[in-house]
């Protein structure tokens, strides 16, 4: 379980494997405090630490995860939003995040709004019922507030305001229009949607 508050921006250091892949990520975390088997949200995906050394840790990623997330686009040097799992007593600064990606989105544009940036993300229309103005959404592991939503027949576009602090402490500082992003919708929206299904 996570909160969507990014606490480090790591970098892909090495990639190995042919089918399933092993990613080694450099990090500012004190890896002596990370247990083998611990969960870390990497770009919004809950992954298990399988190896570590001073300043980096490794995670294994299955073909299924590669199919449904943006991890297959990672290469050496790619910046990754990181968050260690929530402990009892920790501050819930964002919202409840599971690290289970609902869909791939795509950044379609950035617009300057004062010192902030309006980032727009498109997702398939089948998910439009899970995103709402002023609601929460997780994009590449960062808990963000939706400013507005525009639906069409085939897609839903939502806008996010990136304040200067968010720009500085997340991987969005190097993102570009056209980039694929991992999107997880608010878990409460999923349960409400399920309750509205008549069976």
């Amino acid at each position: 379980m996570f909160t969507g508050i990014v606490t480090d921006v790591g970098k892909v250091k090495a990639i190995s494997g042919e089918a399933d892949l092993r990613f080694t990520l450099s990090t500012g975390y004190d890896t002596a405090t990370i247990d083998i088997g611990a969960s870390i949200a990497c770009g919004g995906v809950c992954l298990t630490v399988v190896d570590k050394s001073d300043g980096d840790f490794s995670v294994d990623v299955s073909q299924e995860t590669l199919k449904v997330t943006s991890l297959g686009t990672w290469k050496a040097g790619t910046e990754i939003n990181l968050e260690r799992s929530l402990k009892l007593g920790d501050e819930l600064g964002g919202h409840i995040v599971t690290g289970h990606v609902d869909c791939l989105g795509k950044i379609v544009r950035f617009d300057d709004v004062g010192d902030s940036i309006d980032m727009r993300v498109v997702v398939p229309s089948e998910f439009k019922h899970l995103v709402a103005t002023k609601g929460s959404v997780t994009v590449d592991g960062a808990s963000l507030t939706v400013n507005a939503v525009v639906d069409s027949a085939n897609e839903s576009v939502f806008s996010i305001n990136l304040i200067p602090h968010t720009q500085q402490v997340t991987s969005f500082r190097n993102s570009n229009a056209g980039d694929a992003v991992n999107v997880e919708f608010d878990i409460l929206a999923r349960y409400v949607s399920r309750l509205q299904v008549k069976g």
Side-chain angles (χ1 to χ4, degrees), residues 5-186:
I5 301 300
V6 174
T7 52
D8 186 30
V9 178
K11 279 188 180 181
V12 176
K13 186 174 178 181
I15 305 171
S16 60
E18 295 180 2
D20 294 355
L21 297 180
R22 175 166 292 192
F23 291 93
T24 300
L25 307 177
S26 62
T27 181
Y29 294 146
D30 177 2
T31 54
T33 67
I34 298 175
D35 293 332
I36 299 298
S39 295
I40 297 180
C42 304
V45 182
C46 179
L47 298 174
T48 301
V49 175
V50 296
D51 197 8
K52 64 176 184 174
S53 61
D54 186 23
D56 62 56
F57 65 91
S58 298
V59 292
D60 287 340
V61 179
S62 69
Q63 280 290 301
E64 177 62 23
T65 300
L66 292 169
K67 280 195 304 186
V68 299
T69 69
S70 68
L71 275 62
T73 68
W74 290 1
K75 55 185 183 295
T78 299
E79 288 195 334
I80 310 298
N81 291 326
L82 300 177
E83 181 188 357
R84 297 182 66 174
S85 58
L86 187 64
K87 297 195 246 345
L88 286 176
D90 284 351
E91 179 178 346
L92 186 61
H95 70 283
I96 296 173
V97 176
T98 65
H100 300 155
V101 173
D102 288 304
C103 71
L104 270 177
K106 183 172 72 173
I107 298 173
V108 290
R109 63 185 294 171
F110 292 98
D111 292 310
D112 292 331
V113 182
D115 292 330
S116 296
I117 293 175
D118 177 28
M119 180 177 75
R120 298 189 190 180
V121 177
V122 62
V123 295
S125 61
E126 64 191 274
F127 298 101
K128 65 184 180 183
H129 62 291
L130 296 177
V131 58
T133 301
K134 304 307 177 188
S136 295
V137 66
T138 307
V139 180
D140 275 355
S143 173
L144 300 165
T145 301
V146 176
N147 281 347
V149 187
V150 177
D151 296 325
S152 63
N154 298 316
E155 61 188 28
S156 183
V157 179
F158 59 87
S159 62
I160 298 291
N161 186 65
L162 300 177
I163 63 172
H165 175 76
T166 304
Q167 296 171 42
Q168 293 165 7
V169 301
T170 68
S171 64
F172 299 127
R173 62 196 178 199
N174 289 318
S175 295
N176 298 293
D179 286 353
V181 288
N182 298 313
V183 178
E184 179 185 335
F185 300 104
D186 187 351

